Amino acid sequence: MLTAQPKPTSLSGAGKPQRVGGKAATFSGFRPKVTVRRPIIRAVISSEDSKTGVETAEKLVESNGSLVSSRKSGGINVRAVITIRKKMNEKLSERVEDQWESFINGIGRGILIQIISEDIDPVTKSGKTAESFVRGWFPKLSNSPYVVEYGADLTVPRDFGQPGAVLITNFHDKEFFLMEIVVHGFSKGPVFFRAETWIHSRKDNPESRIIFKNEAYLPSQTPAGIKDLRREDLLSLRGNGKGERKLHERVYDYDVYNDLGNPDKSKELARPVGGTEERPYPRRCRTGRPPTKTDPYTETRIEKPHPVYVPRDETFEEIKQKTFSAGKLKALLHNLIPLIASKLASSDIPFENFSDIDNLYNDGVLLNAEEQKDAKKNWLLATVMNQMFTVGDKFLKYDLPAIIKRDRFSWLRDDEFARQTLAGVNPVNIELLKELPIVSKLDPAIYGPPESAITRDLIARELRGISVEEAIEDKKLFILDYHDLLLPFIEKMNALPDRKAYASRTVFYYSETGVLRPIVIELSLPPTPSSPRNKYVYTHGHDATTNWLWKLAKAHVCSNDAGVHQLVNHWLKTHASVEPYIIATHRQLSSMHPVYKLLHPHMRYTMEINALARQSLINGGGIIEACFSPGKYAMEISSAAYKSLWRFDMEALPADLLRRGMAVEDPTVPGGVKLVIEDYPYAADGLLIWSAIKELVESYVEHYYSEPNSISSDVELQAWWNEIKNKGHHDKRNEPWWPNLSNQDDLSNILTTMIWTASAQHAAINFGQYPFGGYPPNRPTLMRKLIPREGADYEKFLQNPEFTFLTSLPTQLQATKVMAVQDTLSTHSPDEEYIHQLHHIHRPSFNDPEVQKLFELLSVKLEEIERIIDQRNKNAQLKNRSGAGVPPYELLLPSSSPGVTGRGIPNSISI
């Protein structure tokens, strides 16, 4: 890398960059006069041959204090304008420090800039260079009070060529956020260097930062003068795989999931490592913390409020941090501050009637007088409570979720239970039932007879005259099957306090009226010697007792669905699986690479939110374990799903729909597939978005890879794909289903799948969490009782079925915990970047009008898709998205305002 080594002078020093492992580029020093108010700095770098290899041009100081070149051949005066963003919320000490740094920049002592030419210096065999310290203040060109600009004036030789890179060295004591550098004065017009990066202090790292100009180059097309910089920049991002990472660093490396447990604190908090042969898992970002004392394979944890390392540019910006923290306080209140939880212990009681649930929205959680008195004695508790109170004694007051805003009893109906499998927050598990009998793939020696208790006769009785064979042939039967995934864990889960679960199967019938309805539910427990077929079947029935048992069975199915949604479809298949793509992209693709530029908006904030999740959501004792049925076995179930269910080629929407039997191939329609159920809102809207993304990606790939063999010969691209398979998803590296990467179709399909997953797929299964899950009876995240069958519990059920139902749901404390998390995770930040805005986001990164036109066409197409979705939601024939009390399906509408809106497709997994 290049390292700035300043020459000491009376006032300032100029850098002498040292290239690690390469040729040195030597620069001259300068001494600006203090008496001059705002001298213009001009530095010239000679590329002429000399005995030392580099000749420094003589510099003269004019009477006005400016520096001019004495080269006989003359030079070109250029000016670099550097844009820096300051913090929005500064303490008084930081404001004083900022003023001092501004003064230092003004007199030319704080920031060294070095311009690197695309042309080779015949002596150094590397890019020609010119340098100067940033000096002087510019009038504000931005309306933002947080944006400041500085200038640096340089003189370059006439044969300098076009600049291709800029090196920045920060001589301040702290980092700063560099937005952009624009170099004026070259014959082809201004040269833009988009940065959007934190520049570390030289005290933390002596290496200079490399910023490339806003132009995409394949590796083979890289201008000769910046080839070495391209390679060195990638090397700096990979690190050496050793030591503990520091917060200012930008090192991307892999590690297993070995930081979720805390065995040093308690044996109960020990957790197995995810990412082994026994428990495979995608890789996370390496932090390099030392192992625990108790278990050498477990990494020590960093607990809140201390931050977990992610590469510096992956952290939340201030607006995002403020939004996340505001919602996070609700979860903190109940989960992460034991003192508060103990003070609210009296709230950890069951819901005893539906009014208790309604009070969460009408009144909020109330503290009695004694609790308030005790709380105010403690400073920490009182401080947090003061932030959380809304009106009087109320806090944790929730907005009414969308699912009950129009119809508070909709969750009770069978058609709504079924509708949510197609248009809810987890519409990705329903499958076509292709044959009977339904047979498990689990080992019958351990889990009993493989045949389901859902028989052909049972189904026939619910079809109302339609034969089973006819229903299967006409693709009218569907299934939600969590049996094989969950049954191996049920015994352990049910041994946990206040946790009771079954492995469920639910069969649905799609009637001629266009409505899906559940017809039979199977709930299974592990076999016992006295009950080798521990399977129970429930149907709707026509009497009061059967109806209430059916409601309890549906609640257990919803609990399973909530767990699989959170641990598999949401966390594993989006958050965890995408992180290796991001790591590999930074390690193997230069920021100049067109694929890097395409993917970059789809990587924003993901590593930070994943680190926060490992810290307080999916960790041992975290919110997911506390509030979802699997408890401490949550990540083991997620690992089992990765082992048996996850495969990259099936993460594409059309492939997933075909795999589940929810579509058939049809090249004449968007996405190349035709839906079996036309009124399948997630899939119907999703195919429009998928097709728009794919059309963009195919045109983009064609633009950059038009030459034969250009993909197979792209060394960075091939290294990127190999690393994703072999390192990022190491435990799946030998699977035969990984796509090849040899032609345009291969690359287009891979990139479309990645962008779809990070944008629309995540949006569809994330931003409906509070709108659907914010009402506990609709999607209970755990059940605390098995369905009563005999004895005293059954008698109590007969006497008061409502009480049995409600006390089977999460407690009030558990419900408010998970509602707080769902509220936070469903919230769009004010700085959210949406998929229809890509043409604005990409504009500073490309100087190619053809590429910009591709993104503008995508924006136009997405605006049209939004209109189509709005029209669909008004179509009375589409009963899964319209009707009395039915909320419209908006999760795949591209745009949104901030907050919990139940709509909007961010470019990346940002929450």
Side-chain angles (χ1 to χ4, degrees), residues 243-244 255 258-259 261-265 273 284 286-302:
E244 183 172 353
D255 208 344
N258 62 353
D259 63 339
N262 194 350
D264 286 350
K265 185 175 181 179
V273 173
R284 65 169 176 93
R286 179 183 177 275
T287 55
R289 297 190 300 270
T292 60
K293 297 175 183 177
T294 308
D295 179 6
Y297 298 104
T298 297
E299 188 175 86
T300 52
R301 286 182 53 76
I302 297 289

Side-chain angles (χ1 to χ4, degrees), residues 432 474-476 478 510 657 661-664 673-680:
L432 181 71
D474 292 345
K475 296 183 170 60
K476 297 292 186 180
F478 299 86
Y510 190 65
L657 293 171
M662 300 303 293
V664 294
V673 297
K674 181 180 180 181
L675 295 177
V676 170
I677 297 178
E678 181 183 352
D679 187 13
Y680 185 0

Side-chain angles (χ1 to χ4, degrees), residues 406 419 423 679-682 684-685 865-884 886-893 902-903:
R406 298 184 178 205
R419 188 189 76 85
D679 187 13
Y680 185 0
Y682 157 76
D685 296 355
I865 288 172
E866 190 153 316
R867 287 192 288 271
I868 292 172
I869 294 174
D870 285 335
Q871 291 170 1
R872 287 174 173 176
N873 286 332
K874 297 173 184 176
N875 186 345
Q877 302 303 312
L878 301 177
K879 297 180 175 62
N880 288 321
R881 58 201 316 157
S882 65
V886 176
Y889 186 78
E890 298 181 329
L891 287 169
L892 286 171
L893 283 173
R903 59 176 288 167

